[in-house]
Amino acid sequence: GRPDVAFCILHALGEIARGSAGVEAMVDAGTTDAVLGTMAVHFPGELVQQWGLFALFHITTMHQKALALTRAREGPRTVVGAHVMARGSGAVNIAKSAMRVWPDNAVLQQLACGVLRACRHDEKQEGDGRTLLELNGGDEVLSAMGRWREEPELQWEALLFLSAHTDRGPMPVTVVDDAVETLQRHRSHLHVAAAGMNLLRRLLAAGVAGDRTGRAERMVELGVVEEAVGMLSLGASGDSALRRDLHHAAAGVLLMLLLDRDRVARDRLVANGGVAVVRQALEIARHEKDAFPPPTSADLANSHAEELSELLSNLAARLQR
């Protein structure tokens, strides 16, 4: 009955979960349902909803990470993830409602995007005419993207949410424009740029032939080739994992544009020094691949370096033709 106390507790729970230590014990103790119950009791109380979403986001995402680590260490387990519990208790609808009620609260909007991604439905419900994207809050996320163009972290969460839906049914025709605008506006925030280019890559990979051709033409028109070349030109300094993500997304987009025999894309790639840039990126990738343990290692970094090296090799070969 005390919203002023409730939102303080929710904030504290989110901070504890964000530290990851003990998140499994938190979930086992019923914290997920307690958070959702508190949010329901105090709706519409803005601060309770904001910090409830904060707690929910960190509990669900950190619990997924903790379970993945436990599975890798101890083998398969039948533990239900907090995101599954939250989904079953209405987390998606609560997050969507909060986004509609408080469109001017950027922090709340960002947290809600994260909750919608973490707790999304994987299948449409029987008899529901909506697409999976609509069911999971796609309209609300796209609206937040449009309203908060200058907020890089909100844009990042929205891009990750959209990327999780590229192979789950139809996407709005405007999604390419939204992704490119965010990518160009926030190219200095490398994690946002990587998420934007990765969304474009997934849109090209997932589209049926007609959709893919239209999307490819629109991307070339909006300057995606130039953006991808710029990403590939990032050298070996800095955060190597983030640079690998950038190179992987950019090379994937360029390769698919060339595979579609897009002559304009090829001409732009060559005109912007793309041949030399691809060779430089390939040299970095091969050097990193050789620096990692043999491919038999379960190390994720190793498999990423292998995959990136192969992708860039294919792109370099395609450019020689």
Side-chain angles (χ1 to χ4, degrees):
R2 290 282 303 275
D4 55 332
V5 176
F7 81 72
C8 290
I9 295 171
L10 291 169
H11 188 179
L13 288 172
E15 291 289 1
I16 293 166
R18 182 156 65 168
S20 79
V23 69
E24 290 178 274
M26 288 176 72
V27 173
D28 292 345
T31 306
T32 311
D33 282 342
V35 169
L36 285 162
T38 304
M39 292 173 75
V41 166
H42 292 288
F43 196 92
E46 185 172 359
L47 285 175
V48 172
Q49 303 309 308
Q50 176 178 315
W51 294 113
L53 289 167
F54 175 79
L56 205 53
F57 173 70
H58 288 299
I59 290 168
T60 52
T61 53
M62 295 311 295
H63 193 237
Q64 279 182 285
K65 290 179 181 178
L67 289 181
L69 288 171
T70 303
R71 277 195 297 270
R73 194 171 57 245
E74 301 174 8
R77 297 178 67 200
T78 55
V79 178
V80 177
H83 65 292
V84 177
M85 299 179 198
R87 180 198 305 151
S89 296
V92 170
N93 286 336
I94 287 175
K96 285 160 64 175
S97 297
M99 292 183 83
R100 288 193 292 266
V101 174
W102 295 286
D104 296 324
N105 184 332
V107 174
L108 180 146
Q109 295 285 313
Q110 176 189 326
L111 291 166
C113 287
V115 168
L116 290 174
R117 174 170 59 90
C119 303
R120 64 187 181 275
H121 297 277
D122 293 321
E123 296 178 357
K124 285 176 61 176
Q125 293 170 350
E126 196 69 36
D128 194 326
R130 294 172 295 176
T131 66
L132 198 59
L133 183 67
E134 290 169 334
L135 174 67
N136 283 331
D139 291 343
E140 289 79 8
V141 170
L142 288 166
S143 177
M145 274 187 93
R147 180 181 287 265
W148 296 101
R149 291 286 182 199
E150 299 298 332
E151 293 292 330
E153 297 305 318
L154 186 150
Q155 296 293 318
W156 181 58
E157 284 291 355
L159 291 167
L160 294 176
F161 170 88
L162 292 169
S163 288
H165 289 82
T166 50
D167 57 352
R168 313 293 286 179
M171 300 286 283
V173 293
T174 58
V175 75
V176 168
D177 293 58
D178 285 325
V180 174
E181 180 173 349
T182 297
L183 172 62
Q184 292 172 336
R185 191 183 293 257
H186 297 292
R187 63 168 68 90
S188 63
H189 295 88
L190 297 185
H191 65 300
V192 182
M197 192 63 77
N198 190 51
L199 172 56
L200 296 177
R201 181 184 65 81
R202 290 177 65 89
L203 286 168
L204 287 173
V208 295
D211 282 347
R212 190 165 58 245
T213 301
R215 287 169 178 172
E217 289 174 352
R218 185 62 178 153
M219 287 179 199
V220 173
E221 187 183 321
L222 292 171
V224 168
V225 172
E226 291 80 356
E227 293 293 337
V229 171
M231 281 188 183
L232 282 176
S233 68
L234 288 170
S237 60
D239 184 334
S240 59
L242 180 54
R243 179 184 34 74
R244 276 196 296 274
D245 288 345
L246 284 160
H247 282 193
H248 193 283
V253 167
L254 290 174
L255 184 58
M256 277 185 269
L257 291 175
L258 294 184
L259 288 173
D260 270 358
R261 304 186 188 282
D262 192 317
R263 193 74 209 175
V264 179
R266 184 189 180 87
D267 291 346
R268 287 195 181 185
L269 179 55
V270 173
N272 282 275
V275 176
V277 166
V278 169
R279 283 178 183 155
Q280 175 192 304
L282 179 55
E283 282 181 23
I284 295 170
R286 283 175 172 165
H287 175 75
E288 290 192 340
K289 183 188 76 167
D290 294 341
F292 281 115
T296 51
S297 167
D299 186 359
L300 276 178
N302 171 269
S303 60
H304 288 168
E306 284 275 333
E307 191 179 333
L308 178 58
S309 180
E310 185 177 342
L311 178 59
L312 286 163
S313 295
N314 289 339
L315 180 56
R318 178 70 51 171
L319 280 170
Q320 296 303 313
R321 296 177 189 173

